[in-house]
Amino acid sequence: MTIVDIKKAHRQSDLPRHWWQGWLCFVLDQSVSFLMTHEDYVLTPVELMRFNAGIDKMKDGVPLAYLTSEQEFFGRVFTVNEHTLIPRPDTERLVEVVLDWVREGSMVSGKILDLGTGSGCVAITLAKELPKWSVLAVDFSADALSVAMNNAKKLTADNCAFVQSDWYQNIHHTFDIIVSNPPYIADDDEHLAGLTAEPIMALVADYGGLADIRRIIHGAKKYLNKQGLLIIEHGHDQRQSVQAIFEQCGYQAIMTMQDYGGNDRLTMGVCDD
């Protein structure tokens, strides 16, 4: 079977084009441009068998990133597996906001805490972008932490450390910035049907998806330095609820920012205690 045969076969596929096309590139170890310029290339029996096996898995709901074991985030490639969420482009906004905050405040160095680090994409990216800062990445899952630690080693994020902890349980220091992309999906949310391959504990929270967000906001007051920043990613329809929790806890300069699709996605507040 040639590349053009595969293109024809998947023209009406239910799979997203970037999934089957990305998987084909991975199997062939070639770029997308190769698929365009070498349409007459005939896949070897091994390549075709591997490609079809991957297609079957994707049809069963396994995302492309779990097949390739990698996902790009902020220009770097991170290892991912079934123990970690797949980094989303919109989470890059969290990194951008933190970097803007640091630069606007002319902060040369400091300490950052990343709660629920998963693959480590946020913590490691901040560590790489802010080499004079120290970053502590936390996760409850030992399996997720193993992935994150390997990513840090691969990407030489020497200023990023890791601790297994149930949120703040094993944290004993204060920080200038706390960031988190916690579970925020309600257990009855219809979107969960399309996320069955990813770790449920990293997606779903009680009380309409707000349980962990509430715990993080309340707890951060003890671990933030004066004028420290807390920024949390949340659901597109949770802005009012999340802002209300920030207000109840006495944060100042509370603000919600949008993701690349224009949806409310990040809320931040400053600890004035």
Side-chain angles (χ1 to χ4, degrees):
M1 179 175 279
T2 65
I3 290 175
V4 72
D5 291 331
I6 290 175
K7 288 182 177 180
K8 290 177 180 178
H10 289 276
R11 192 165 292 161
Q12 303 299 324
S13 174
D14 292 333
L15 293 175
R17 179 177 179 179
H18 72 276
W19 276 27
W20 66 258
Q21 184 174 264
W23 178 236
L24 181 57
C25 289
F26 187 84
V27 169
L28 299 180
D29 194 21
Q30 297 288 349
S31 65
V32 174
S33 61
F34 179 87
L35 305 186
M36 298 171 62
T37 58
H38 294 75
E39 289 189 326
D40 59 346
Y41 175 82
V42 180
L43 275 70
T44 67
V46 172
E47 289 171 341
L48 184 59
M49 181 175 64
R50 188 181 181 196
F51 175 75
N52 287 333
I55 291 295
D56 289 340
K57 288 182 179 180
M58 285 191 282
K59 287 181 178 179
D60 287 337
V62 178
L64 171 63
Y66 286 165
L67 290 181
T68 62
S69 298
E70 61 184 34
Q71 179 70 21
E72 184 174 331
F73 183 85
F74 219 83
R76 298 179 179 89
V77 177
F78 287 80
T79 297
V80 296
N81 63 23
E82 69 276 9
H83 301 297
T84 69
L85 289 184
I86 298 169
R88 267 69 170 178
D90 285 332
T91 302
E92 294 184 2
R93 284 285 292 130
L94 189 156
V95 173
E96 291 174 348
V97 171
V98 171
L99 294 179
D100 288 343
W101 174 269
V102 169
R103 289 161 184 161
E104 289 171 7
S106 300
M107 303 169 75
V108 177
S109 63
K111 296 180 179 180
I112 298 174
L113 174 64
D114 176 28
L115 294 171
T117 197
S119 65
C121 61
V122 171
I124 293 167
T125 299
L126 289 172
K128 296 295 290 185
E129 297 295 320
L130 300 170
K132 293 184 179 181
W133 285 61
S134 62
V135 181
L136 180 62
V138 167
D139 207 287
F140 180 74
S141 167
D143 291 322
L145 272 181
S146 178
V147 174
M149 292 170 69
N150 286 334
N151 277 323
K153 182 177 181 180
K154 179 180 69 173
L155 295 169
T156 62
D158 298 329
N159 54 327
C160 188
F162 300 87
V163 171
Q164 185 176 6
S165 179
D166 183 5
W167 300 126
Y168 300 104
Q169 187 177 53
N170 295 325
I171 306 303
H172 307 292
H173 305 285
T174 58
F175 300 85
D176 301 290
I177 299 173
I178 297 178
V179 302
S180 185
N181 177 16
Y184 57 73
I185 300 177
D187 57 12
D188 60 351
D189 193 301
E190 61 183 11
H191 295 96
L192 283 176
L195 299 170
T196 55
E198 298 186 71
I200 193 70
M201 67 178 296
L203 293 168
V204 174
D206 292 334
Y207 301 108
L210 294 170
D212 291 307
I213 288 176
R214 182 181 290 117
R215 186 175 175 187
I216 290 167
I217 295 173
H218 279 268
K221 298 296 290 282
K222 179 180 177 181
Y223 297 95
L224 274 174
N225 294 327
K226 187 175 177 62
Q227 295 301 307
L229 173 71
L230 171 63
I231 179 167
I232 293 180
E233 180 171 336
H234 54 74
H236 68 91
D237 57 351
Q238 294 175 325
R239 175 181 62 84
Q240 290 184 330
S241 298
V242 174
Q243 283 193 359
I245 301 171
F246 270 90
E247 290 170 358
Q248 292 163 8
C249 292
Y251 288 83
Q252 305 298 313
I254 300 167
M255 184 184 305
T256 296
M257 288 139 292
Q258 288 69 48
D259 59 23
Y260 297 125
N263 302 300
D264 291 334
R265 188 63 62 188
L266 304 167
T267 294
M268 58 182 277
V270 176
C271 181
D272 201 30
D273 294 344

